[in-house]
Amino acid sequence: SMDIIIQTFLFTSVYYLIRQPGVPFWQFLVPFGFTAYAASGWGYLISTFVPPRHGPFIVSLVIFIICGLLGNPSTLANFLVGGAMEVCISALSITRWSVQMSFSEAVYDLHPQPSGVQQYMYNMDKDVFFKRDWGFGTWWTAAAALAITGTALRIGSALGLRLMNRDKQV
């Protein structure tokens, strides 16, 4: 909705001005937009299944877990080894894809040349974020994954609205 678009633009603008990442603003804004789309989908889905007084707290916990804990590159390196766990993490973690979008654009535009410990971290990030590609590039793969996630969560939300509290529907 419009409030999500406005809030995403304002947050990204302030963060962009503070960080000054060296890439064009739109390349910084798009991953944030996809993140907001997928995260709001989680909010919509959870709000259809829990009481309104518990919704914001539960959504905060879920987003913290799927973004903060499951989206860390060092954690992802352990999960993205194939099999069911990789499928689950790739389906649930928003930052698994949004950070991949930002990282691939930064590598493409800035051509980093790290050294020392930074070289180790850079190689770990490359191994994680350039690992899976659906055949149309890492950036577009991540964009498609986030769009699919956000849309699937909204479909689940619509089903939740339809199927939950049937006695209260008119």
Side-chain angles (χ1 to χ4, degrees), residues 49-91:
F49 294 106
V50 300
R53 65 182 176 274
H54 300 306
F57 178 70
I58 293 172
V59 170
S60 298
L61 287 176
V62 168
I63 293 298
F64 173 72
I65 291 168
I66 64 174
C67 288
L69 299 178
L70 298 180
N72 185 334
S74 61
T75 306
L76 285 172
N78 296 325
F79 292 135
L80 300 180
V81 292
M85 185 58 99
E86 180 173 345
V87 172
C88 288
I89 296 300
S90 294

Side-chain angles (χ1 to χ4, degrees), residues 16-160:
Y16 183 85
L17 289 173
I18 292 169
R19 187 160 180 262
Q20 298 180 357
V23 296
F25 177 70
W26 73 269
Q27 289 178 354
F28 209 69
L29 177 64
V30 173
F32 278 76
F34 277 112
T35 302
Y37 180 70
S40 63
W42 278 107
Y44 296 146
L45 179 68
I46 292 169
S47 71
T48 63
F49 294 106
V50 300
R53 65 182 176 274
H54 300 306
F57 178 70
I58 293 172
V59 170
S60 298
L61 287 176
V62 168
I63 293 298
F64 173 72
I65 291 168
I66 64 174
C67 288
L69 299 178
L70 298 180
N72 185 334
S74 61
T75 306
L76 285 172
N78 296 325
F79 292 135
L80 300 180
V81 292
M85 185 58 99
E86 180 173 345
V87 172
C88 288
I89 296 300
S90 294
L92 295 176
S93 180
I94 297 168
T95 50
R96 183 263 184 269
W97 298 109
S98 63
V99 173
Q100 177 173 318
M101 290 177 79
S102 298
F103 182 76
S104 65
E105 273 307 312
V107 168
Y108 179 76
D109 285 346
L110 303 175
H111 309 288
Q113 301 297 323
S115 60
V117 173
Q118 294 299 322
Q119 180 67 39
Y120 170 77
M121 296 303 292
Y122 176 73
N123 288 337
M124 182 180 65
D125 289 350
K126 272 187 12 183
D127 290 344
V128 168
F129 296 124
F130 293 156
K131 183 174 261 186
R132 298 289 182 258
D133 183 346
W134 295 346
F136 42 87
T138 55
W139 195 90
W140 286 106
T141 296
L146 288 170
I148 290 168
T149 299
T151 302
L153 290 167
R154 281 165 174 70
I155 291 170
S157 301
L159 290 173

Side-chain angles (χ1 to χ4, degrees), residues 154-170:
R154 281 165 174 70
I155 291 170
S157 301
L159 290 173
L161 283 173
R162 181 79 177 133
L163 300 174
M164 298 297 293
N165 302 316
R166 293 182 67 101
D167 58 327
K168 296 178 186 172
Q169 293 179 7
V170 278

